[in-house]
Amino acid sequence: MERGLYTRQEIYSQPEAWQAAMQMLAEQKDELLALSQGQQRQVLFTGCGSTYYLALAAAAFYQDITGNCARGLPASELWHYPQASYPNGEVLLVAISRSGATTETLIACKTFKEQKRGKLITLSCYAEEPLASMGDINLVFSSGAEQSIAQTRAFSTLYLGTVAFALIAAGRDDLYEELNKLPAVGQHILDTYSDLAKEIGGDLTKDRFYWLGSGLRYGLASELSLKMKEMSLTHSEPFHFMEFRHGPKSMITKTAQVIGLQSSSHYEHEQSVLNELKALGGKVLPIGEDQSTVIFNSGLDERIRNVLYLPFGQLVAFERSMAKGLNPDLPHNLDAVVKL
Ligand code: F1P
């Protein structure tokens, strides 16, 4: 089997997977609307590994767009530390798992239901796995299903699902419709920047990667940093942009690569962090709507275009893995699902 075959296909087929997800969501929109019209003032998103980072990104988006309190927590925290995790009163739990079979996520959902804490929505990729029949609503994104161990297509497709759900809950039909434009822009990014991803990922003189993302993008920066670790066994860490000055910048060397998930709303502050790191000798690469190196040019609302940061970052991790002679489909020491 050719090295990286599955991961490559999964990364490049994301636009089609997103399109299929939007079609699937259209069929469940009324059901989601009915559930979100209850008193869902407190929402918890949960998952493990990639889907925990997804929970962080989804919670930030949900709170931003609905104004209701939302948090993202690892499923093991809900299971082991319920008192530190759950607020008082009714909660809407949104559980995310590519496999639908991760033990920690299943236990968190089971105890949530037994303790009658509120309603449960599940997002996963396999209808026949246990999670997909545990919720009050179960969303199955089969277009995100994957052969590889590290999540790429599954992550972005499930993330899009949480974004769509939040827009439904917020009654933002205008932004919901805009989501349909994402696949074409995603395709454009993949077509335009694959060589650059190969150049950045293939430069083995770099020995450390930092992914900067704030607000709605911190969970996404965390996921891209995880991709770098899983696929390419490289030292990699995520930070909020402004946090990087508060200590982590001491790690900047000539062999450091910083990738910034740049916003438009705080462009100046974020760019000044990148400029500072460049002056210290690091390599910087900003991704963003229009004033960056990797440019979306989407014309979409800033809050709904976040999924577009993912394909380029995933490609950098993939290319680094290939350049190191590793197989991105089969990360070191990892299983596709953690079953306890
Ligand atoms: C979550 C996950 C993956 C990770 C790993 C083990 O799985 O942590 O993110 O890459 O190989 O499982 P899931 O619950 O989303 O299926």
Side-chain angles (χ1 to χ4, degrees):
M1 174 65 73
E2 185 186 322
R3 258 188 326 126
L5 182 68
Y6 289 134
T7 308
R8 186 192 297 280
Q9 282 171 353
E10 286 156 4
I11 292 175
Y12 280 99
S13 61
Q14 289 178 101
E16 293 122 71
W18 300 347
Q19 209 152 4
M22 291 307 295
Q23 277 157 15
M24 186 279 279
L25 282 160
E27 286 160 26
Q28 281 179 280
K29 199 174 171 195
D30 291 345
E31 209 185 340
L32 286 167
L33 185 62
L35 188 139
S36 64
Q37 277 169 345
Q39 291 297 304
Q40 312 295 354
R41 297 238 164 267
Q42 312 184 95
V43 183
L44 273 177
F45 291 84
T46 195
C48 296
S50 285
T51 41
Y52 159 55
Y53 295 133
L54 204 168
L56 288 183
F61 181 79
Y62 188 92
Q63 179 160 330
D64 188 288
I65 209 85
T66 66
N68 292 337
C69 279
R71 263 178 103 191
L73 285 170
S76 55
E77 295 289 291
L78 301 186
W79 171 21
H80 288 168
Y81 302 98
Q83 231 162 297
S85 303
Y86 290 114
N88 286 332
E90 204 179 317
V91 173
L92 170 65
L93 179 63
V94 182
I96 311 145
S97 167
R98 172 181 64 178
S99 63
T102 296
T103 306
E104 289 136 273
T105 307
L106 297 179
I107 293 180
C109 290
K110 186 168 171 280
T111 49
F112 177 85
K113 289 201 321 185
E114 284 167 0
Q115 293 163 0
K116 300 194 188 325
R117 291 184 183 273
K119 300 267 190 230
L120 170 67
I121 299 181
T122 73
L123 286 83
S124 60
C125 296
Y126 301 92
E128 65 285 5
E129 294 296 341
L131 190 69
S133 48
M134 289 179 82
D136 296 284
I137 296 180
N138 299 296
L139 302 173
V140 178
F141 295 84
S142 40
S143 64
E146 291 175 314
Q147 308 267 8
S148 303
I149 287 181
Q151 303 194 15
T152 53
R153 182 173 69 194
F155 184 94
S156 64
T157 306
L158 291 163
Y159 171 68
L160 201 57
T162 62
V163 167
F165 166 62
L167 292 172
I168 293 169
R172 293 298 304 264
D173 277 351
D174 53 335
L175 294 180
Y176 186 92
E177 286 313 315
E178 296 236 312
L179 296 180
N180 291 308
K181 298 182 183 157
L182 288 166
V185 188
Q187 189 61 55
H188 167 75
I189 294 165
L190 285 163
D191 292 345
T192 313
Y193 295 107
S194 57
D195 288 346
L196 180 62
K198 197 167 185 174
E199 188 187 317
I200 304 283
D203 179 357
L204 299 182
T205 62
K206 290 164 192 156
D207 66 350
R208 61 196 71 190
F209 279 69
Y210 298 107
W211 302 82
L212 306 189
S214 295
L216 309 191
R217 289 161 295 281
Y218 178 69
L220 305 181
S222 304
E223 162 63 6
L224 291 174
S225 179
L226 179 69
K227 290 293 80 77
M228 201 51 131
K229 288 186 177 122
E230 288 182 332
M231 283 195 231
S232 80
L233 309 181
T234 301
H235 172 86
S236 182
E237 287 186 87
F239 292 96
H240 301 88
F241 267 92
M242 306 291 277
E243 277 296 295
F244 203 80
R245 284 199 181 98
H246 297 272
K249 79 170 183 183
S250 55
M251 293 293 288
I252 288 294
T253 59
K254 286 189 169 47
T255 54
Q257 174 71 60
V258 180
I259 301 190
L261 280 56
Q262 222 163 23
S263 67
S264 298
S265 48
H266 297 287
Y267 176 83
E268 306 291 334
H269 280 125
E270 293 173 355
Q271 187 59 41
S272 88
V273 172
L274 295 180
N275 290 343
E276 201 173 317
L277 303 181
K278 201 170 166 187
L280 289 172
K283 305 269 183 308
V284 303
L285 186 134
I287 311 175
E289 174 66 7
D290 47 19
Q291 300 177 78
S292 306
T293 304
V294 173
I295 290 172
F296 307 152
N297 235 336
S298 71
L300 297 171
D301 184 285
E302 168 155 42
R303 287 168 298 179
I304 66 156
R305 61 183 186 229
N306 290 310
V307 74
L308 299 171
Y309 291 92
L310 295 167
F312 180 79
Q314 295 163 342
L315 272 179
V316 171
F318 171 82
E319 294 294 355
R320 183 159 172 101
S321 176
M322 294 296 280
K324 285 179 83 170
L326 302 169
N327 184 352
D329 293 349
L330 294 171
H332 196 58
N333 292 340
L334 279 188
D335 296 314
V337 193
V338 177
K339 291 188 180 176
L340 305 179

